[in-house]
Amino acid sequence: MTLKRLKWELISTLKDLDLPDLEARLIIRHVLSLSDMEQIIRADDGISDEDAVICLDLARKRINGTPMSYITGKKEFYGLEFTVNENVLIPRPETEILVFEAISYLKGITKPVVLDLCTGSGCIAASVQKNIPDAEVCISDISKEALETALSNFKRLTGKYPKAFLGDLFSPIESNLLFDAICTNPPYIAEKWYGGLEKDVKKEPQSALIGGGEDGLDIIRRIISESGRHIKRGGLLIIEADYRQISAIKNLMEQNGFTDVSAVKDLAGKERCVRGIFQSS
């Protein structure tokens, strides 16, 4: 089989997706390590039966909803390439605004101590560390597999090891460890919204998506109420959430000792994060 024929079969398999040609090129790039230009130049080259079978199997996984990032094992975020797998959420561009806000705040602090709570792939933690080299960044997750993924990404991308905590939110963190900033993209999807999510999103771990309660805010309520015991006075708490939850989160933060509470919009113009400065409980 030629490369040209393989690409045609992949596009045919992927025809129900929005961009089947792009999807086919990504699969070929992943399996055969051929750039888009090389795929054009070498269109008439022969492809081994083994490589063709691998590519077509991946195309069938993709059409059945497996995200491309799980197929390739990679996802770019904040200018860095993260390893991802089915134990972690795939980093999304919307979360970059949270990182930008955190970095902007931390640049005014010498040797800040930062916590990435519910770290997942570690995309927030590693991005902060790369941009604030003197920061002491800590990560925490309830999932052992997610924490291992985050540790691997952090070490590979920053050359450092973060302090890592395995457990439920703040429970494994020492009471005397106080943070200049707590950043979190926690589970926040309401169960009633789950059915309406795209097929590929449903392939991501439910435990990292569904936030509990009728409004999806059970985990965020705990984060806000418990964070006062782990954040310095004047420290930043920034939380990603759904735009439908922003008003409720702002109220919760104000009720729990945070001032200067405000929403931050993502590049699509939707309110994506809530940030506040801790003063007292």
Side-chain angles (χ1 to χ4, degrees):
M1 179 186 294
T2 64
L3 180 58
K4 183 191 300 182
R5 176 69 185 182
L6 173 62
K7 183 179 285 189
W8 182 89
E9 290 197 15
L10 290 172
I11 291 172
S12 179
T13 301
L14 299 162
K15 65 181 185 301
D16 292 333
L17 300 182
D18 290 339
L19 298 168
D21 181 73
L22 173 61
E23 303 265 358
R25 285 186 277 119
L26 289 172
I27 289 173
I28 292 171
R29 185 188 306 169
H30 172 61
V31 176
L32 301 177
S33 300
L34 295 175
S35 68
D36 289 354
M37 183 58 68
E38 288 172 322
Q39 291 179 38
I40 295 170
I41 295 170
R42 299 177 59 180
D44 293 323
D45 284 7
I47 301 299
S48 72
D49 290 343
E50 181 181 1
D51 284 340
V53 167
I54 292 171
C55 287
L56 290 166
D57 282 347
L58 292 179
R60 283 187 282 271
K61 285 185 177 181
R62 182 70 187 101
I63 202 68
N64 287 326
T66 300
M68 182 59 75
S69 292
Y70 285 164
I71 288 173
T72 64
K74 301 174 183 177
K75 181 64 177 180
E76 184 179 348
F77 179 87
Y78 219 78
L80 303 171
E81 186 175 83
F82 287 84
T83 297
V84 295
N85 54 54
E86 295 181 357
N87 298 307
V88 300
L89 291 184
I90 297 168
R92 289 173 167 77
E94 294 87 348
T95 306
E96 292 186 353
I97 191 63
L98 183 153
V99 174
F100 176 82
E101 289 290 320
I103 290 170
S104 297
Y105 171 82
L106 293 167
K107 281 183 176 178
I109 302 172
T110 302
K111 296 183 178 179
V113 184
V114 184
L115 174 64
D116 177 12
L117 190 66
C118 308
T119 189
S121 67
C123 64
I124 294 172
S127 299
V128 169
Q129 185 72 75
K130 284 289 285 187
N131 287 273
I132 309 289
D134 70 337
E136 179 185 346
V137 178
C138 305
I139 61 175
S140 177
D141 206 286
I142 197 170
S143 163
K144 179 176 180 289
E145 294 77 15
L147 201 63
E148 289 172 348
T149 301
L151 281 166
S152 176
N153 276 322
F154 197 97
K155 175 63 168 62
R156 177 174 54 83
L157 293 168
T158 73
K160 299 180 179 181
Y161 280 108
K163 183 177 286 189
F165 301 98
L166 175 63
D168 184 20
L169 297 181
F170 295 104
S171 61
I173 299 174
E174 302 100 317
S175 58
N176 62 345
L177 180 54
L178 298 179
F179 300 99
D180 293 286
I182 297 173
C183 311
T184 182
N185 179 15
Y188 58 77
I189 299 296
E191 287 192 27
K192 61 186 176 184
W193 302 340
Y194 187 78
L197 297 178
E198 295 178 2
K199 184 165 61 173
D200 57 346
V201 176
K202 292 180 181 177
K203 294 286 187 177
E204 300 184 60
Q206 278 194 34
S207 60
L209 289 168
I210 297 177
E214 180 69 19
D215 55 7
L217 289 175
D218 278 4
I219 290 174
I220 287 179
R221 285 190 186 90
R222 287 186 54 203
I223 290 171
I224 294 172
S225 65
E226 296 172 19
S227 61
R229 298 193 294 273
H230 300 276
I231 194 167
K232 297 177 183 178
R233 185 178 178 88
L236 173 74
L237 173 64
I238 183 164
I239 303 172
E240 178 172 332
D242 186 272
Y243 70 94
R244 291 164 286 190
Q245 300 167 318
I246 298 298
S247 179
I249 294 171
K250 288 168 71 175
N251 289 336
L252 285 166
M253 290 179 71
E254 289 169 350
Q255 292 163 13
N256 282 271
F258 289 87
T259 61
D260 300 319
V261 176
S262 61
V264 184
K265 292 182 179 180
D266 61 25
L267 294 178
K270 284 189 175 181
E271 292 184 326
R272 177 62 55 179
C273 304
V274 180
R275 53 166 291 162
I277 302 300
F278 184 68
Q279 296 299 341
S280 62
S281 57

